[in-house]
Amino acid sequence: MNPQKKYTMAYFTNDFFDFFKQLAPNNNREWFHAHKNDYETYVKIPTQNFVDSVLRKLESTDNRFAQLTYKDCMFRINRDIRFSKDKSPYKLHIGIIFSPVGKKYKEYPGLYVELNPEHIRIYGGIYSPDRITLEKIRNLLIKHPKKFKSIIENDEFQSVYGEILGAKNKRLPKEMMEAANKQPLLFNKQLYFYNELPVDDALKDDFDQTIVNHYKIALPFFQFFEKAFKN
């Protein structure tokens, strides 16, 4: 045995995904409470450890992450069913957001990771800015078209994320139309992108670094739009 070799362990196991497979046909409070120990052991605690590991790695990118813990980034498994026809009380996935401001300001540019038994999805960008912020975003696109183009056409960004997605407005203010002819993304109300990974990637011991790498590839995009979220 080589005493210099460092052995690591994956954060997640198949038990993580098995829990959600069993929850799907038993999505009720009685079943969940009967299996709460499984949830704590195989889902909640591993996710907490995973999130904290990613945050500590991201500190080198942005020291604001030093102030965050898993509590700032993990979404609850409980669904908000107040206005939903679907009264199932629990989500069938775990959602995590990696952003310098955590989950309290979901509109801020950041990375959202969703884990379920079918896929791993990693979303980045800006999903639902308010009207004033959206105007600032569009002004940044108008003022710095070449810089933005260089970010989204970067080879690494393209290979991982591809195109920019999002719902669009049908109309824009007249003063923006000339710029929109050159940059159609000005019509967007949202600007996001995503990558999908096989589930088995979450079972690898370097999955935390995989998420960090995704964040760093998206970082120029985040930094470009940060000004729009500052007073």
Side-chain angles (χ1 to χ4, degrees):
M1 180 181 295
N2 182 355
Q4 301 301 316
K5 184 174 176 62
K6 183 179 180 180
Y7 290 91
T8 56
M9 185 178 295
Y11 293 92
F12 302 105
T13 66
N14 282 313
D15 292 316
F16 174 95
F17 298 109
D18 288 343
F19 177 84
F20 287 105
K21 290 177 183 177
Q22 295 173 45
L23 175 62
N26 299 286
N27 201 333
N28 58 75
R29 290 181 175 81
E30 291 76 19
W31 186 92
F32 187 88
H33 285 290
H35 295 81
K36 192 170 183 180
N37 186 60
D38 290 340
Y39 168 70
E40 296 277 345
T41 303
Y42 302 124
V43 178
K44 186 176 181 180
I45 294 174
T47 305
Q48 291 173 349
N49 293 335
F50 167 73
V51 172
D52 276 342
S53 178
V54 173
L55 290 174
R56 301 294 71 83
K57 290 177 182 290
L58 287 174
E59 286 180 33
S60 63
T61 299
D62 187 333
N63 60 16
R64 288 176 293 177
F65 283 105
Q67 310 302 317
L68 303 180
T69 71
Y70 68 83
K71 294 180 181 179
D72 302 297
C73 303
M74 283 176 60
F75 290 101
R76 300 176 68 218
I77 193 171
N78 303 75
R79 294 181 64 247
D80 184 352
I81 59 175
R82 291 173 298 172
F83 309 108
S84 174
K85 292 182 180 179
D86 179 4
K87 298 302 180 182
S88 303
Y90 304 106
K91 302 170 187 173
L92 300 179
H93 66 269
I94 284 292
I96 310 159
I97 192 163
F98 293 105
S99 157
V101 297
K103 64 185 178 183
K104 289 185 178 180
Y105 192 4
K106 301 179 186 68
E107 298 82 7
Y108 201 86
L111 206 70
Y112 174 77
V113 180
E114 182 177 293
L115 303 171
N116 70 40
E118 297 178 357
H119 55 246
I120 301 164
R121 283 188 178 156
I122 303 171
Y123 294 87
I126 305 165
Y127 193 70
S128 55
D130 59 39
R131 180 181 58 81
I132 294 174
T133 304
L134 180 58
E135 183 177 350
K136 292 179 180 179
I137 287 168
R138 286 170 170 164
N139 285 332
L140 283 170
L141 289 174
I142 292 171
K143 290 178 182 178
H144 307 287
K146 291 182 179 179
K147 184 175 180 180
F148 179 69
K149 186 177 180 181
S150 70
I151 291 170
I152 63 173
E153 292 185 358
N154 172 271
D155 289 344
E156 195 171 26
F157 185 95
Q158 281 290 311
S159 67
V160 173
Y161 293 117
E163 65 179 324
I164 305 297
L165 306 170
K168 300 178 183 292
N169 283 120
K170 293 183 178 179
R171 297 179 180 85
L172 285 176
K174 290 182 180 179
E175 62 271 19
M176 291 187 177
M177 287 306 298
E178 183 178 348
N181 290 332
K182 298 177 181 178
Q183 178 49 272
L185 288 174
L186 278 166
F187 282 97
N188 281 45
K189 297 184 289 185
Q190 306 162 332
L191 293 159
Y192 71 90
F193 42 87
Y194 83 99
N195 188 24
E196 186 169 313
L197 302 176
V199 170
D200 286 350
D201 279 16
L203 307 179
K204 298 176 181 178
D205 56 21
D206 63 348
F207 183 52
D208 55 346
Q209 188 61 49
T210 296
I211 300 304
V212 171
N213 293 343
H214 275 73
Y215 187 93
K216 288 183 176 180
I217 292 168
L219 183 57
F221 183 100
F222 301 155
Q223 291 173 331
F224 180 85
F225 285 111
E226 268 198 330
K227 291 180 181 179
F229 292 82
K230 296 177 181 178
N231 294 329

